[in-house]
Amino acid sequence: MEKEKKRLSWFWKWFLNNQFVTALLIILLILLILNAFTKVSYLFEPVAQFVGVVGLPIVLAGVFYYLMNPAVDYLEKKGLKRIYSIILLFLLVIGLITWGVVVIVPKIREQTASFIDNFPNYLDVIDQKANEILNDPIFGTFKDQFDSYGDKITTWLTDFIRNISSSTISSIGKIVGAVASTLVAIFTMPFILFYLLKDGRNLAPYFVKFLPNKVRQPTLKVLREMNDQVSSYIRGQLTVAFAVAIMFIIGFSIIGLDYSVTLGVVAGFLNLIPYLGSFLAMVPAIFLAIVAGPIMLVKVLVVFVIEQTIEGRLISPLVLGNQLSVHPVTILLVLLTSGKLFGVVGVILGIPVYAAAKVLITHLFEWYKDVSQYYHDEDKEEV
């Protein structure tokens, strides 16, 4: 009897009453549940289709909500009813969009058409200058290598264009579907945005009511912190992107670079990608500067240095600050991973999703420290 009791106590101590083993069992159960879901994934296809339809308008509405909600709150504090504040901002946004369509869009369309028409000439100029450089005695020893790389690039471009041409007909259906989804998103987004601005602050307390009383306040705290992180990032990043677009448009216009408006707008959009956006935006500008000549290339580089200095030293610290507290290496890893998994959308939304997940994981870890016995001695040592 005593032997059985000793065996039971040993088994209880090392397996049944061991938190590490319990955690492993929980992880195993979660993996088994996920594996079971993969076997019946066809049951979730309607849900995936529904998310695909409503996902884009909800994301767009969320972005505009974070941009417009502070203004709505400010006007409400000044005594204007919230519904009237929302209508006033809607009219202002519609006016700005109309101005952009009338003034900016035709300019971009004109410059884009001109760039496409002149692109073969630009390639000829680049090829001519490259030949001049390669014919120089200094670079003569590398001529064969450059010719080999040039032939490979030309072959790759030819195959790429041929593949696009052959798959164009088969992709028409996908293109039409994407255009239809975008139009649905554009028309439904304002209605979602209106109700978000009107009742958005009540969403979190409403959903928290369905949870047990014990976890309502902690859950509400986590949701508010996640909301603060995402809203700060989105507002700050869009503000910085707008400032970058304005700086590039002004800078390129001053030095006389062609397509300054289009290049500035492209730079603003690409700046939504942290750290990499501005450098990617400089690729077409440097291409055009090389065509224009060495003096223009120097001017473009000077504009880029000035823009990076103003953005890095003044605008980004003032607008973004350090609210995310994310290391630059972590940001690059998140961008690479999200871009590989979800493409352009992943690159744009990867950082705010990571920030929200970081808040959730941090609170879960703090909760685990409280309920477990592994960190109590560490806390005493710190005290």
Side-chain angles (χ1 to χ4, degrees):
M1 189 71 179
E2 292 181 358
K3 291 183 178 180
E4 293 293 332
K5 190 174 182 180
K6 288 182 179 180
R7 291 178 181 176
L8 182 61
S9 62
W10 177 84
F11 185 75
W12 172 266
K13 178 181 179 181
W14 289 99
F15 290 96
L16 299 180
N17 197 32
N18 190 306
Q19 293 185 356
F20 180 72
V21 175
T22 304
L24 291 179
L25 290 175
I26 293 173
I27 294 174
L28 178 61
L29 289 175
I30 293 174
L31 293 177
L32 289 175
I33 292 172
L34 293 176
N35 183 56
F37 278 139
T38 59
K39 303 302 181 182
V40 292
S41 58
Y42 60 89
L43 296 177
F44 300 96
E45 289 183 0
V47 178
Q49 293 176 358
F50 175 77
V51 172
V53 172
V54 303
L56 181 59
I58 290 177
V59 170
L60 292 176
V63 171
F64 278 95
Y65 168 78
Y66 286 126
L67 286 175
M68 299 172 63
N69 190 58
V72 174
D73 292 338
Y74 175 79
L75 294 174
E76 188 179 19
K77 290 179 181 178
K78 292 298 181 180
L80 188 63
K81 289 186 177 180
R82 192 170 185 85
I83 185 71
Y84 297 144
S85 303
I86 297 171
I87 293 174
L88 180 62
L89 283 179
F90 263 68
L91 294 176
L92 178 61
V93 171
I94 291 173
L96 290 174
I97 293 175
T98 304
W99 174 80
V101 170
V102 173
V103 177
I104 302 296
V105 173
K107 189 71 174 177
I108 294 175
R109 183 178 58 192
E110 176 186 349
Q111 292 186 354
T112 304
S114 176
F115 178 79
I116 293 174
D117 292 338
N118 294 322
F119 187 72
N121 297 329
Y122 294 154
L123 289 180
D124 292 338
V125 173
I126 294 292
D127 183 64
Q128 180 182 354
K129 292 185 177 183
N131 289 329
E132 292 177 359
I133 294 174
L134 293 177
N135 290 329
D136 191 278
I138 298 175
F139 298 95
T141 56
F142 303 100
K143 187 175 185 305
D144 294 336
Q145 297 180 4
F146 282 116
D147 290 339
S148 176
Y149 289 133
D151 293 338
K152 291 180 180 179
I153 293 173
T154 303
T155 303
W156 178 81
L157 286 174
T158 303
D159 294 338
F160 180 74
I161 295 172
R162 187 184 298 112
N163 292 333
I164 291 178
S165 301
S166 61
S167 61
T168 299
I169 298 176
S170 61
S171 301
I172 289 178
K174 295 181 180 179
I175 295 173
V176 172
V179 171
S181 300
T182 304
L183 292 176
V184 170
I186 292 174
F187 283 109
T188 57
M189 184 271 291
F191 299 97
I192 300 174
L193 175 61
F194 177 82
Y195 287 105
L196 276 178
L197 291 171
K198 183 174 178 293
D199 302 318
R201 55 188 175 183
N202 299 322
L203 285 177
Y206 174 77
F207 287 115
V208 167
K209 290 180 180 179
F210 296 97
L211 300 176
N213 294 335
K214 187 177 180 180
V215 298
R216 286 183 182 179
Q217 288 302 321
T219 303
L220 191 60
K221 180 182 178 182
V222 172
L223 292 177
R224 285 173 177 169
E225 289 187 14
M226 293 170 64
N227 179 70
D228 292 340
Q229 289 282 313
V230 175
S231 61
S232 299
Y233 176 81
I234 290 177
R235 284 197 296 265
Q237 201 67 24
L238 289 175
T239 303
V240 172
F242 179 76
V244 167
I246 297 298
M247 286 191 292
F248 271 123
I249 290 174
I250 294 174
F252 290 154
S253 299
I254 291 175
I255 65 175
L257 184 66
D258 294 334
Y259 318 114
S260 58
V261 175
T262 303
L263 292 174
V265 172
V266 171
F269 277 108
L270 289 176
N271 200 76
L272 296 175
I273 305 174
Y275 295 103
L276 302 177
S278 296
F279 292 96
L280 293 176
M282 286 302 298
V283 173
I286 291 177
F287 175 82
L288 293 172
I290 293 174
V291 173
I295 297 177
M296 181 58 70
L297 178 60
V298 173
K299 292 180 180 179
V300 168
L301 293 177
V302 170
V303 170
F304 178 68
V305 171
I306 294 174
E307 182 274 332
Q308 283 292 297
T309 303
I310 296 175
E311 178 192 352
R313 301 284 182 175
L314 180 63
I315 297 177
S316 292
L318 184 64
V319 175
L320 289 174
N322 296 317
Q323 75 272 13
L324 288 182
S325 300
V326 181
H327 196 276
V329 176
T330 304
I331 291 179
L332 292 176
L333 292 177
V334 171
L335 291 176
L336 292 174
T337 304
S338 57
K340 180 67 175 179
L341 294 176
F342 305 105
V344 178
V345 177
V347 171
I348 296 175
L349 299 180
I351 302 301
V353 171
Y354 169 80
K358 181 182 177 183
V359 172
L360 178 61
I361 293 173
T362 301
H363 280 274
L364 288 175
F365 181 67
E366 293 296 328
W367 168 80
Y368 178 72
K369 286 175 66 175
D370 291 336
V371 300
S372 68
Q373 300 177 357
Y374 295 115
Y375 299 91
H376 291 175
D377 295 336
E378 178 184 343
D379 295 336
K380 292 178 181 179
E381 291 176 1
E382 291 178 357
V383 174

